[in-house]
Amino acid sequence: MLNRRHIRVKILQTIYAMHQSGSEELEKEEKFLFSSLESIQNLYLIMVSVLMEIRRKEEEFLEIAAKKHLATEKDKNPNKKFIKNRVLVSLDKNNLLADNLEKFKIINWKQNDDMILLLLEETKKSKLYIDYLASKENSFEDDKQFVAKLFEEVIATNEKLFDYLEDFRLTWVDDIPLVNTMFLKQLKTLEESNLFILGIPTLYKDAEDKDFAKDLFRKTVLNEQDLAKEYLDRTPNWDPERISEIDTIMLKMAICEFLRFPSIPIKVTINEYLEIAKEYATPKSSIFINGILDNLVKEYQKTNKLNKTGRGLM
């Protein structure tokens, strides 16, 4: 689920938080970093469970309406296309998902039923839902496309849901787009012949990525002063006091990768931090960082300071 850019962003945010709090407890902050990374799986399960809960809630409403003393014909014979949607039903019957919801103690919607009611209301007001119920099409592909669009256009874009998730765990703000994209990607691979393969994605691509997170965090934090010396004398036109803290952390992380991660290509490191700078720093940060890193690389190459091997030579 996680790519290395997202891992770099999490490390950047953790180091920034350390600076802001004045913390020097490496192990405590490392634990926070990995807690932040691992909680992304909880977020994934919470988002999937939204779909499960709104289907259950609608089924409950239809059953109550049918039992009313003065039930109308519509109450007795409602349109059940939504609650019988093959994909939504498969989520509800997926034992792997159920086991993970229990394992990770995902009980958010049992404690916040009002959010499910709000999302169900938004769903039923949407043109997407109205057209789906009115359509005579009754195929698995139609069901799958409806759920994908419902998630993408109604659930994932709901501001109140976003606010709730942000309040629940601040570190999820940057994780929500990643999780939503991953769920949609998984959803679109579902086949009617194998509906129950949808589970919780593996957090890291491999053990190497988890090691990368630990190593980059530790090597940057433990060598901040030495890493800072690499660029401080090379910024004559920039007052060190006026360089943003985010920029300095990104520079230290990038230089750390140059000098202490022989298998990571120089171009990969530079491109990653330029993209991160565009999203998390000031408008001029990417230009500033690119200039510093480019000059450092040229100098390192002249003095044979770079020790790249394997993939790192690319």
Side-chain angles (χ1 to χ4, degrees):
M1 185 189 296
L2 289 173
N3 55 49
R4 287 209 172 181
R5 182 176 300 170
H6 206 77
I7 291 172
R8 287 178 174 98
V9 168
K10 289 291 187 182
I11 294 170
L12 169 66
Q13 292 171 335
T14 302
I15 296 175
Y16 180 77
M18 283 182 71
H19 289 184
Q20 294 299 300
S21 66
S23 173
E24 295 182 358
E25 299 179 62
L26 182 68
E27 291 188 4
K28 175 187 173 185
E29 301 304 336
E30 183 178 87
K31 186 176 180 180
F32 172 81
L33 167 65
F34 280 98
S35 172
S36 172
L37 289 167
E38 289 159 9
S39 74
I40 294 173
Q41 290 183 312
N42 295 59
L43 175 60
Y44 180 89
L45 289 168
I46 286 171
M47 293 303 290
V48 175
S49 66
V50 167
L51 291 170
M52 299 165 68
E53 293 298 331
I54 62 172
R55 192 204 73 83
R56 289 173 186 167
K57 185 60 68 176
E58 177 62 5
E59 185 173 40
E60 180 185 317
F61 283 160
L62 293 182
E63 288 174 357
I64 292 171
K67 294 174 182 177
K68 288 192 305 188
H69 178 61
L70 298 174
T72 64
E73 187 60 30
K74 186 179 179 181
D75 291 331
K76 294 176 183 176
N77 296 288
N79 187 332
K80 295 185 178 181
K81 189 174 183 180
F82 177 69
I83 65 170
K84 289 186 175 182
N85 178 287
R86 297 167 182 82
V87 175
L88 295 179
V89 170
S90 75
L91 294 178
D92 207 38
K93 293 183 177 180
N94 187 317
N95 290 329
L96 181 58
L97 276 177
D99 289 344
N100 278 307
L101 287 167
E102 184 176 352
K103 175 185 174 183
F104 288 90
K105 297 180 174 60
I106 306 300
I107 56 172
N108 297 63
W109 309 131
K110 288 181 174 60
Q111 299 172 336
N112 295 278
D113 190 56
D114 55 332
M115 181 60 67
I116 295 303
L117 292 172
L118 182 149
L119 292 170
L120 177 58
E121 182 182 355
E122 291 299 311
T123 295
K124 293 171 75 171
K125 286 194 305 186
S126 69
K127 184 176 185 300
L128 175 69
Y129 176 89
I130 294 167
D131 290 347
Y132 173 70
L133 259 60
S135 172
K136 300 299 181 184
E137 180 68 37
N138 186 28
S139 67
F140 170 75
E141 279 303 314
D142 187 56
D143 281 358
K144 185 167 76 171
Q145 287 179 21
F146 166 74
V147 174
K149 287 181 180 178
L150 175 66
F151 185 83
E152 188 172 14
E153 298 174 11
V154 180
I155 306 300
T157 59
N158 188 278
E159 291 185 7
K160 290 185 178 179
L161 175 59
F162 183 90
D163 291 343
Y164 166 78
L165 294 171
E166 182 181 9
D167 289 343
F168 189 79
R169 190 174 182 116
L170 185 59
T171 60
W172 280 348
V173 171
D174 297 303
D175 303 331
I176 294 171
L178 174 78
V179 164
N180 291 345
T181 300
M182 177 55 65
F183 175 65
L184 286 169
K185 185 177 179 181
Q186 281 208 315
L187 187 61
K188 288 171 183 177
T189 64
L190 280 183
E191 299 293 339
E192 190 167 14
S193 59
N194 199 3
L195 274 174
F196 301 103
I197 61 169
L198 191 72
I200 182 169
T202 304
L203 188 60
Y204 301 100
K205 185 179 68 176
D206 49 37
E208 189 178 326
D209 275 2
K210 185 174 183 179
D211 289 341
F212 169 73
K214 181 176 182 178
D215 291 345
L216 181 57
F217 174 71
R218 280 183 167 257
K219 289 178 180 180
T220 302
V221 172
L222 292 173
N223 298 282
E224 283 204 76
Q225 289 186 344
D226 289 339
L227 294 170
K229 290 175 184 176
E230 296 291 329
Y231 67 83
L232 281 176
D233 294 336
R234 295 166 179 81
T235 54
N237 299 322
W238 296 80
D239 180 357
E241 297 297 321
R242 298 183 65 185
I243 301 174
S244 79
E245 192 156 10
I246 290 290
D247 288 357
T248 64
I249 296 170
M250 283 191 285
L251 283 171
K252 291 169 189 173
M253 289 172 65
I255 294 167
C256 186
E257 288 189 32
F258 286 166
L259 303 178
R260 299 168 187 268
F261 288 80
S263 66
I264 300 178
I266 292 294
K267 286 184 178 179
V268 169
T269 294
I270 292 176
N271 288 339
E272 286 288 88
Y273 288 101
L274 291 184
E275 290 304 313
I276 293 170
K278 289 175 186 176
E279 190 166 352
Y280 293 93
T282 65
K284 293 183 179 180
S285 291
S286 59
I287 299 171
F288 168 68
I289 290 170
N290 186 48
I292 298 297
L293 296 182
D294 189 53
N295 288 333
L296 280 174
V297 168
K298 289 175 182 176
E299 183 174 325
Y300 291 161
Q301 288 171 335
K302 285 180 183 178
T303 57
N304 293 319
K305 198 169 182 177
L306 293 174
N307 182 29
K308 295 294 181 180
T309 60
R311 265 189 329 116
L313 294 169
M314 296 172 64

